[in-house]
């Protein structure tokens, strides 16, 4: 009762999601009549959507399914905890489902509208929805709209990966009001669990850091003694204020204006710099500052009228009593330092050594050069950076992710998880599908991710940037002298150094991304050969702590599957699972990795 009563959920400062609670004791089973009464009570008290969350619902969702059927018959939107995640943890599962339900009515109406409109024009093509983890899913996934959190930044990262051969990089998507920062490591985006203020959910999406500094950020002034100085850039933007940029306006109209301090929106402090004249009120933004200084990248979407931008800052300089160029430089430097702090934190957290700063979004040409200079990092802005999220949407792969709590994993349970992920990727061409599993020991869980190309009659366009040869990628990851030590049709393993008990290795998929890195032993050959070698080698790598033995982490690659068996802490069970997986190869080449991590 306590763990399903989530109360009011804080969504943002001053904003809360109100919830109503009904509890049914299902210890001896639950009847449909009691569920109907409970839902009727919730609806009579003003509920707009229903959440069904049952203890151990990930194992037996029968009660939740009854509630969904009742809600459907009553015509009320509803979702259940087991639909969002297979992880244990009743409280976090309930909060996740509640957040999902709060946007479910709007999401379903949107899905119906889009499906109807697309069906009228392109009935023979599947309608896919971009998810926050960077993959596409069928329209039915809109029953779980929380999965689309951060789908915009995820689409941008997908577009960047199509345009640039990025191994390690930080994607900085500069919009008008805010900037999104996300990380690519080994050619793959970093994901994390979605957090809503204090609430961690069970849904994973791109690990995005959002800061209120962007191309349209206004300059806020404050007094230091008797003199005006720049106090802040943002968070208010020209877009939210409904004002045109000075740099995209008629230079004569801007030059004929007068500088003043304004409150762009009701409740804002009267401290934002604008210029006002017969031609209207114009915003002095960070994009204007870059245009005034001539630092906007050539051909950039952010390039405007430098004359208008300089005129605006000259006027501001008269108000402040300083040179307008110095004010523009100070504003841009302040913004660069704020963004650099966020980017540097992401670089250090994920251990990137020489990351490329990738600028995306309409404001990238204005801010990214100054940001990269503040960090002392390489940077690049790809072609079509301002619309790259749409490109990422169009070229995204079908992706399904399934997590299951496995406190006592078995070979059959892992196989069932893989099949579930494959079956969820319904719109993918079967021959393109790969499945990778990952152990999540901190949650006692296993995660399976299926990825494949969209199955349509139209071939996918090739990436703009060809993938470098896999040995070159291995040399980037491991250093000169790395050698190929085995491969399947989908994965190649490279290693460097010497040592009977382990070498540094990297596993690279056929798309050129790094699937695994570590230190250990790489085994290669037919399924039977690798199974025989595992029987010899794995027992020798077991660490003994008195009567307790800890097996090395075991991963097996056969065909399009990469199976992580490191959740099997018992050496005997780990060996049994690994040998069983190898023998399923039916003559195909197999790779197996034994490592300490």
């Amino acid at each position: 009762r306590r763990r399903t009563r989530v109360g009011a959920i804080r969504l943002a400062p001053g904003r809360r999601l109100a919830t109503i609670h009904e509890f049914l004791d299902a210890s001896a089973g639950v009847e449909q009549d009691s569920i109907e009464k409970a839902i009727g009570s919730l609806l009579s008290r003003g509920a707009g959507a229903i959440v069904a969350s049952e203890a151990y619902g990930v194992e037996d969702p029968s009660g939740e399914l009854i509630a969904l059927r009742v809600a459907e018959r009553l015509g009320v939107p509803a979702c259940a905890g087991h639909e969002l995640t297979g992880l244990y943890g009743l409280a976090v599962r309930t909060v996740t489902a509640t957040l999902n339900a709060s946007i479910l009515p709007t999401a379903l109406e949107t899905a119906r509208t889009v499906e109807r409109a697309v069906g009228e024009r392109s009935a023979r093509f599947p309608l896919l929805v971009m998810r926050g983890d960077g993959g596409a899913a069928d329209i039915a996934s809109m029953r779980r709209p929380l999965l689309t959190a951060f789908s915009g930044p995820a689409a941008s990262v997908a577009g960047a990966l199509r345009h640039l051969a990025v191994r390690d990089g930080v994607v900085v998507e500069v919009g008008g009001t805010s900037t999104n920062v996300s990380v690519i490591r080994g050619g793959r985006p970093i994901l994390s669990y979605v957090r809503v203020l204090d609430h961690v959910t069970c849904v994973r999406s791109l690990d995005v850091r959002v800061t209120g500094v962007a191309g349209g950020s206004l300059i806020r002034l404050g007094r230091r003694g008797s003199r005006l100085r720049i106090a802040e850039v943002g968070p208010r933007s020209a877009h939210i204020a409904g004002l045109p940029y000075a740099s995209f306006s008629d230079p004569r109209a801007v030059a004929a204006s007068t500088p003043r301090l304004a409150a762009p929106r009701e409740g804002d402090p009267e401290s934002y710099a604008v210029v006002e004249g017969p031609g209207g009120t114009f915003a002095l933004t960070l994009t204007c500052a870059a245009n005034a200084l001539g630092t906007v990248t050539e051909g950039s979407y952010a390039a405007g009228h430098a004359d208008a931008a300089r005129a605006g800052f000259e006027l501001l300089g008269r108000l402040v009593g300083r040179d307008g160029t110095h004010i523009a430089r100070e504003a841009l430097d302040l913004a660069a330092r704020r963004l650099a702090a966020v980017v540097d934190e992401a670089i250090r957290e994920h251990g990137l050594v020489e990351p490329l700063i990738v600028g995306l979004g309409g404001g990238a040409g204005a801010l990214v050069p100054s940001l990269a200079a503040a960090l002392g990092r390489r940077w690049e802005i790809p072609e079509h950076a301002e619309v790259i999220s749409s490109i990422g949407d169009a070229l995204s792969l079908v992706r399904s992710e399934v997590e299951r709590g496995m406190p006592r994993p078995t070979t059959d349970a892992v196989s069932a998880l893989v099949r579930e992920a494959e079956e969820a990727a319904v719109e993918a061409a079967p021959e393109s599908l790969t499945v990778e599993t990952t152990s999540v020991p901190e949650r006692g869980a296993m995660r399976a991710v299926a990825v494949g190309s969209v199955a349509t009659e139209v071939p996918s366009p090739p990436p703009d940037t060809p993938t470098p040869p896999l040995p070159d990628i291995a040399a980037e990851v491991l250093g000169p002298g790395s050698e190929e030590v085995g491969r399947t049709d989908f994965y190649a393993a490279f290693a460097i150094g010497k040592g009977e008990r382990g070498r540094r290795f990297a596993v690279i998929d056929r798309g050129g991304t790094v699937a695994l890195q570590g230190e250990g032993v790489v085994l290669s050959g037919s399924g039977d050969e690798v199974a025989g070698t595992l029987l010899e080698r794995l027992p020798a790598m077991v660490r003994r702590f008195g009567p307790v033995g800890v097996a090395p982490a075991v991963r097996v690659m056969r065909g399009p599957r990469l199976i992580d068996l490191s959740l099997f802490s018992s050496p005997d069970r780990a060996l049994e699972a690994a040998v069983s997986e190898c023998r399923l190869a039916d003559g195909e080449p197999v790779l197996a990795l034994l490592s300490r991590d």
Side-chain angles (χ1 to χ4, degrees):
R1 185 189 301 270
R2 184 176 67 253
R3 292 181 180 178
T4 54
R5 188 191 296 274
V6 298
I9 300 175
R10 287 202 316 135
L11 302 175
R15 301 294 299 274
R16 293 176 180 270
L17 172 64
T19 68
I20 309 165
H21 183 249
E22 282 281 346
F23 177 76
L24 296 175
D25 185 348
S27 304
V30 62
E31 298 295 330
Q32 182 168 319
D33 286 349
S34 58
I35 290 180
E36 287 178 348
K37 290 178 182 177
I39 291 179
S41 172
L42 292 171
L43 295 177
S44 68
R45 291 153 62 194
I50 300 296
V51 174
S53 188
E54 184 177 10
Y56 303 105
V58 296
E59 299 288 353
D60 176 13
S62 55
E64 294 182 359
L65 291 172
I66 294 173
L68 291 180
R69 288 195 294 270
V70 171
E72 183 179 13
R73 195 178 74 248
L74 295 173
V76 59
C79 67
H82 79 274
E83 293 183 293
L84 274 298
T85 180
L87 296 178
Y88 294 112
L90 181 58
V92 69
R93 203 163 63 244
T94 305
V95 166
T96 302
T98 303
L99 291 167
N100 186 76
S102 71
I103 53 178
L104 186 57
T106 301
L108 291 176
E109 180 58 33
T110 301
R112 284 191 290 267
T113 301
V114 173
E115 192 170 29
R116 185 168 57 249
V118 172
E120 292 172 357
R121 293 175 175 267
S122 307
R124 66 193 182 99
F125 295 121
L127 174 58
L128 302 180
V129 176
M130 192 72 183
R131 296 172 19 148
D133 56 15
D138 66 1
I139 191 67
S141 67
M142 287 300 282
R143 277 189 49 79
R144 297 170 291 166
L146 196 58
L147 297 179
T148 66
F150 298 123
S151 58
S156 294
V157 171
L161 288 171
R162 284 285 188 168
H163 271 281
L164 303 170
V166 183
R167 298 284 144 242
D168 293 324
V170 179
V171 176
V172 181
E173 185 182 18
V174 185
T177 300
S178 62
T179 295
N180 301 320
V181 175
S182 47
V183 173
I184 296 171
R185 186 174 62 196
R188 297 184 176 194
I190 299 292
L191 305 182
S192 65
Y193 291 98
V194 173
R195 176 186 288 271
V196 178
L197 285 189
D198 306 328
H199 305 284
V200 178
T201 73
C202 300
V203 169
R204 295 202 329 133
S205 77
L206 208 69
D207 182 8
V208 179
R209 298 145 203 257
V210 183
T211 182
V213 177
S217 294
L218 298 176
I219 297 168
R220 187 151 58 93
L221 302 181
R223 291 198 175 274
R224 187 180 301 166
S226 61
R227 306 195 67 176
L228 284 171
R229 289 287 187 270
I230 294 180
E232 187 58 278
V233 287
R236 180 64 72 225
S237 72
H239 302 264
I240 301 301
L243 296 176
Y245 290 43
S247 54
F248 298 142
S249 302
D250 185 341
R252 291 170 298 179
V254 175
S257 299
T258 302
R260 71 179 184 89
L261 299 183
R265 297 286 296 270
E266 186 178 350
D268 288 345
E270 196 170 308
S271 57
Y272 288 95
V274 299
V275 295
E276 188 177 77
T281 302
F282 306 99
L284 295 176
T285 67
L286 292 174
T287 296
C288 300
N291 275 281
L293 294 168
T295 60
V296 179
T297 54
E298 186 177 352
S300 166
Y301 192 74
H305 299 297
D307 290 345
R310 281 193 292 268
F313 276 93
E314 285 172 9
L315 291 169
L316 181 60
R318 295 175 198 170
L319 179 67
V320 174
R322 295 177 61 207
D323 181 75
T325 302
H326 291 164
I327 297 172
R329 180 77 269 168
E330 186 179 340
L332 210 54
D333 286 347
L334 177 57
R337 288 196 299 273
R338 283 189 57 187
L339 287 175
V342 177
V343 173
D344 189 56
E345 179 187 58
I347 290 171
R348 287 185 283 105
E349 181 176 324
H350 295 293
L352 304 183
V353 179
E354 294 184 359
L356 176 70
I357 306 300
V358 180
L360 305 178
L367 296 191
V368 168
S370 295
L371 165 65
L375 290 165
R377 301 281 184 183
R378 299 176 300 123
W379 61 277
E380 189 167 349
I381 298 176
E383 189 180 8
H384 308 307
E386 70 277 6
V387 292
I388 207 164
S389 61
S390 298
I391 297 171
D393 274 331
L395 300 182
S396 61
L397 299 173
V398 173
R399 187 181 192 278
S400 66
E401 182 173 304
V402 181
E403 286 187 325
R404 288 285 175 267
M406 289 191 186
R408 294 182 178 83
T410 64
T411 304
D412 289 343
V414 173
S415 297
L417 181 69
V418 170
R419 286 195 302 274
E420 185 176 351
E422 288 175 332
E423 291 166 2
V426 293
E427 299 291 354
E431 68 276 7
S432 73
L433 205 61
T434 62
V435 182
E436 296 180 3
T437 68
T438 305
S439 297
V440 191
E442 68 273 15
R443 292 176 178 254
M446 185 81 78
R447 177 186 305 135
V449 178
V451 178
S453 300
V454 179
T456 70
E457 299 171 18
V458 180
S460 297
D464 292 344
T465 303
T467 301
L470 299 191
D472 292 351
I473 298 172
E476 280 186 43
V477 175
L478 299 173
S482 61
E483 59 176 333
E484 184 176 317
V485 291
R487 71 164 57 212
T488 71
D489 291 341
F490 289 80
Y491 298 96
F494 296 82
I496 193 169
K498 297 180 180 180
E500 185 64 22
R501 297 187 65 84
R503 309 166 68 185
R504 283 200 304 122
F505 66 78
V507 175
I508 303 171
D509 68 20
R510 62 182 180 179
T513 68
V514 180
L516 288 172
Q517 290 186 69
E519 188 169 333
V521 175
V522 182
L523 307 178
S524 177
S526 69
D528 287 339
E529 289 171 342
V530 174
T533 309
L534 277 169
L535 289 167
E536 296 175 7
R537 298 292 298 272
L538 194 149
M541 295 182 67
V542 173
R543 288 177 290 178
R544 297 289 175 183
F545 301 91
V548 178
V550 178
V554 185
R555 283 98 167 182
V556 175
M557 280 140 281
R558 61 175 181 85
R561 293 181 172 182
L562 190 162
I563 309 298
D564 184 352
L565 301 171
S566 55
L567 204 63
F568 289 75
S569 56
S570 161
D572 292 340
R573 293 175 65 198
L575 180 59
E576 177 187 353
V579 168
S580 174
E581 193 65 47
C582 289
R583 287 177 173 163
L584 291 172
D586 194 25
E588 295 179 359
V590 168
L591 286 170
L593 303 174
L594 306 177
S595 62
R596 296 299 187 193
D597 56 344

